[in-house]
């Protein structure tokens, strides 16, 4: 009985747990690093997805990536921010999930990632899956079995 429930959880499609794209803060390729820093600071998120106008996923951008790009030898060169583009500093090697992936795959990946971007069969960004959501589901499961 217990193992059946466990299998059911592991096989659950991640689509049930996604924070949908319209609720996800993002920046666009071509945006300046200055704009991106504003978005990151105001939302309080450590990193956000980088999308194009067709909502295709290009990478992830964090405050650290921006700060590192303006680190001079003795000072932070804030005046450079307006001339640096998101594309120049983002991480393109993003680990992502497909909408058809299961809870089991997400569980493996959230060990190393606070959140994962999710794309559909055409590569369009549909939302994110966070470690917090996965842990909540896991907690629910653990407390439900005796
Ligand atoms: P949380 O599970 O809320 O602690 O989120 C973990 C990380 O996921 C945050 O630091 C962000 O990088 C990302 N994140 C969570 N929710 C959002 C959102 N609505 N928009 C953009 N990024 C998000």
């Amino acid at each position: 009985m217990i193992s059946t429930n466990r299998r059911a959880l592991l096989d659950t499609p991640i689509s049930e747990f996604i924070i949908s794209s319209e609720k996800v803060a993002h920046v666009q390729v071509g945006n300046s690093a200055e704009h991106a820093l504003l978005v990151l600071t105001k939302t309080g998120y450590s990193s956000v997805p980088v999308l194009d106008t067709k909502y295709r996923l290009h990478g992830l951008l964090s405050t650290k990536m921006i700060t590192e790009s303006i680190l001079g030898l003795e000072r932070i060169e804030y005046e450079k921010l307006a001339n640096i583009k998101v594309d120049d500093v983002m991480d393109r090697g993003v680990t992502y999930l497909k909408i058809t992936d299961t809870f089991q795959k997400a569980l493996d990946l959230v060990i190393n990632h606070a959140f994962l971007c999710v794309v559909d069969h055409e590569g369009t960004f549909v939302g994110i899956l966070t470690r917090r959501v996965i842990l909540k589901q896991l907690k629910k499961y653990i407390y439900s079995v005796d």
Side-chain angles (χ1 to χ4, degrees):
M1 181 63 186
I2 288 171
S3 70
T4 309
N5 285 341
R6 190 182 64 204
R7 194 69 256 163
L9 175 65
L10 292 174
D11 289 344
T12 307
I14 56 161
S15 50
E16 286 191 27
F17 310 122
I18 290 172
I19 297 173
S20 63
S21 57
E22 66 271 14
K23 291 185 193 146
V24 177
H26 73 274
V27 291
Q28 287 205 341
V29 279
N31 280 165
S32 69
E34 187 170 32
H35 172 80
L37 191 58
L38 268 173
V39 171
L40 285 161
T41 307
K42 287 205 160 183
T43 58
Y45 294 130
S46 51
S47 74
V48 290
V50 181
L51 308 177
D52 63 21
T53 51
K54 290 184 172 157
Y55 260 65
R56 276 178 309 231
L57 177 66
H58 285 248
L60 280 182
L61 186 74
S62 68
T63 309
K64 183 171 180 275
M65 291 170 202
I66 297 176
T67 314
E68 277 180 350
S69 74
I70 56 169
L71 264 193
L73 282 179
E74 290 184 3
R75 55 180 283 273
I76 297 175
E77 298 166 346
Y78 285 106
E79 64 281 2
K80 285 189 174 168
L81 274 179
N83 296 320
I84 297 172
K85 295 268 175 276
V86 160
D87 335 19
D88 301 331
V89 291
M90 70 182 180
D91 176 12
R92 294 170 194 273
V94 179
T95 305
Y96 61 89
L97 287 163
K98 296 194 195 100
I99 188 84
T100 47
D101 283 334
T102 60
F103 187 90
Q104 184 165 17
K105 172 136 189 217
L107 185 58
D108 284 346
L109 291 175
V110 294
I111 289 168
N112 289 322
H113 303 274
F115 76 100
L116 291 147
C117 291
V118 185
V119 301
D120 69 11
H121 60 288
E122 288 176 329
T124 306
F125 176 76
V126 291
I128 59 170
L129 189 62
T130 63
R131 185 183 283 156
R132 184 197 298 270
V133 168
I134 294 289
L135 280 176
K136 268 191 189 169
Q137 294 304 319
L138 216 48
K139 180 180 169 186
K140 215 157 92 179
Y141 168 75
I142 288 167
Y143 283 104
S144 73
V145 289
D146 280 316

